[in-house]
Amino acid sequence: MVGDQQAIDAVLNRLRRAQGQLAGVISMIEQGRDCKDVVTQLAAVSRALDRAGFKIVATGLRDCVTGEQSGADKPLTEAELEKLFLALA
């Protein structure tokens, strides 16, 4: 992932948090914990991954719009941006 260091650090922190939460879910299942507790923790893992993914997409789109990521002289046109966004949907 190319981008500013703050965005990269934020994504890595969220992914590490999700990794720790997932380890907790595995441990809870191994211990035979209550289904409600496991599902609640699993939902937290899912949200953390979603947020990390959103941060990656948002940073990538911002860089594409400004032309920073590709090294282009000019930002993407509206049509190019629409095509890129629809490719992610």
Side-chain angles (χ1 to χ4, degrees):
M1 182 174 131
V2 177
D4 64 80
Q5 193 59 44
Q6 279 186 317
I8 292 169
D9 291 344
V11 168
L12 288 174
N13 285 338
R14 287 181 180 170
L15 290 174
R16 287 185 183 110
R17 187 177 313 125
Q19 184 178 33
Q21 289 171 323
L22 184 56
V25 170
I26 292 169
S27 178
M28 292 170 76
I29 292 171
E30 290 173 343
Q31 296 169 6
R33 297 274 301 270
D34 183 60
C35 179
K36 180 182 172 189
D37 295 337
V38 172
V39 170
T40 299
Q41 190 64 24
L42 192 56
V45 173
S46 180
R47 282 190 305 274
L49 290 174
D50 288 344
R51 291 175 71 92
F54 176 75
K55 185 69 169 177
I56 290 169
V57 170
T59 300
L61 284 176
R62 184 188 67 225
D63 291 347
C64 286
V65 168
T66 61
E68 293 173 8
Q69 187 176 42
S70 62
D73 294 332
K74 60 180 182 160
L76 294 177
T77 66
E78 185 175 334
E80 292 170 324
L81 184 58
E82 181 180 353
K83 184 178 177 181
L84 179 63
F85 181 75
L86 290 175
L88 296 171

